[in-house]
Amino acid sequence: MFSLANKTVIVTGAGSGIGQSIAVLFAKQGAHVEVFDLKHESAQETVEIIKTNGGSANATACDVADYTAVKALFDSVARIHGKIDILVNNAGIAHIGNALTTTEEDMDRLHRVNIKGVHACAQAALAHMTVRKNGVILNMCSIAAQMGLADRFAYSMTKGAVLMMTYSIAKDFIKEGIRCNCIAPARVHTPFVDGYLARTYPGKEAEMFQKLSEAQPIGRMAKPEEIAATALYLCSDEAGFVTGTNYTIDGGAVNLR
């Protein structure tokens, strides 16, 4: 079950964290994975992990919000491999601030990456998937799209947009044989979390890590591998009847608070 043999997959933001875990797992399940990341060296690190484990992957530097560059890169993948079976729209950036403290520059930066980036990649993938009448798009959303989180004004706005883009793509392309879903995680223990704690709470990292962990009713943060496992199911043939779904993986954060 959950084989991705002979599938060509693009994972954006796959140089670390959740994206890296998804890329590594998908390759383990037999896919050829195109590892896209803003930093080529980060993408290459993921590729080395995959190849060390006997998988197939290629690293590419990609600014997901550059429509022209994204189209060219996706066209190249389709030309070399004959198809694009799966897109995991994982690339995104975070921001901390409320409506008063969020600047115009913050809004522009979040909109550019988290909204335009998702659209640019989905558009480039759909151009090829619609020809073959087959394909899967998985967007990385957040529980921030479903509930009020303190000091996450701009971030929540962008994830709300990701949720609606997911529903729209699923609706518009269901008769083209294309499925589109999204995952809404709560807090996940990634390098971003460690960096945030080191910058914001120097000397109190362990204490704050525990506090953030206990904010989830389950009492801990998610592991990137757990998000990857959910992504694998949603992108696999076993989930062939699943589309237009926001799959919450949150340790009870939304409904059990």
Side-chain angles (χ1 to χ4, degrees):
M1 295 179 71
F2 311 119
S3 171
L4 298 181
N6 302 315
K7 303 282 190 182
T8 299
V9 180
I10 295 175
V11 184
T12 67
S16 64
I18 295 171
Q20 183 178 81
S21 291
I22 291 173
V24 169
L25 179 59
F26 280 28
K28 181 181 178 182
Q29 296 304 110
H32 168 76
V33 181
E34 291 288 329
V35 178
F36 283 19
D37 198 271
L38 185 62
K39 299 178 180 178
H40 187 270
E41 57 270 27
S42 297
Q44 190 58 46
E45 288 176 9
T46 300
V47 168
E48 292 305 319
I49 295 171
I50 291 171
K51 290 187 174 180
T52 297
N53 292 312
S56 174
N58 180 64
T60 300
C62 177
D63 175 358
V64 294
D66 184 336
Y67 279 72
T68 301
V70 165
K71 181 181 184 305
L73 290 172
F74 276 61
D75 288 351
S76 177
V77 171
R79 183 173 62 254
I80 293 170
H81 298 281
K83 57 181 180 171
I84 297 172
D85 295 292
I86 299 167
L87 164 64
V88 180
N89 248 329
N90 172 74
I93 56 176
H95 177 261
I96 297 172
N98 60 34
L100 184 61
T101 62
T102 299
T103 67
E104 180 180 1
E105 291 74 20
D106 293 330
M107 288 291 282
D108 288 344
R109 183 169 58 91
L110 270 288
H111 180 272
R112 183 179 187 277
V113 178
N114 292 4
I115 298 179
K116 289 180 66 178
V118 170
H119 175 228
C121 292
Q123 186 179 72
L126 285 165
H128 297 280
M129 292 176 176
T130 51
V131 173
R132 298 180 61 244
K133 306 294 183 184
N134 186 265
V136 179
I137 295 175
L138 179 65
N139 297 324
M140 193 57 59
C141 195
S142 167
I143 62 168
Q146 303 167 247
M147 58 186 296
L149 298 180
D151 292 322
R152 296 296 187 277
F153 175 74
Y155 179 75
S156 298
M157 174 270 297
T158 63
K159 291 304 180 180
V162 171
L163 179 60
M164 289 302 110
M165 283 192 283
T166 299
Y167 292 158
S168 292
I169 292 169
K171 181 75 171 181
D172 290 340
F173 295 95
I174 191 168
K175 296 188 184 305
E176 304 282 348
I178 296 163
R179 297 190 297 110
C180 185
N181 297 290
C182 61
I183 294 176
R187 187 170 284 116
V188 183
H189 186 197
T190 64
F192 171 80
V193 171
D194 292 334
Y196 166 73
L197 292 176
R199 290 190 307 272
T200 312
Y201 303 101
K204 296 183 178 181
E205 291 91 341
E207 175 187 343
M208 292 306 300
F209 180 85
Q210 186 63 27
K211 183 176 181 179
L212 292 177
S213 297
E214 292 173 354
Q216 277 78 216
I218 205 169
R220 66 174 177 86
M221 298 185 198
K223 302 173 185 176
E225 294 81 7
E226 291 173 313
I227 309 302
T230 305
L232 173 62
Y233 166 67
L234 290 172
C235 291
S236 71
D237 291 342
E238 281 75 14
F241 200 61
V242 182
T243 192
T245 295
N246 177 38
Y247 201 104
T248 303
I249 174 168
D250 67 343
V254 173
N255 295 319
L256 302 184
R257 284 183 181 272

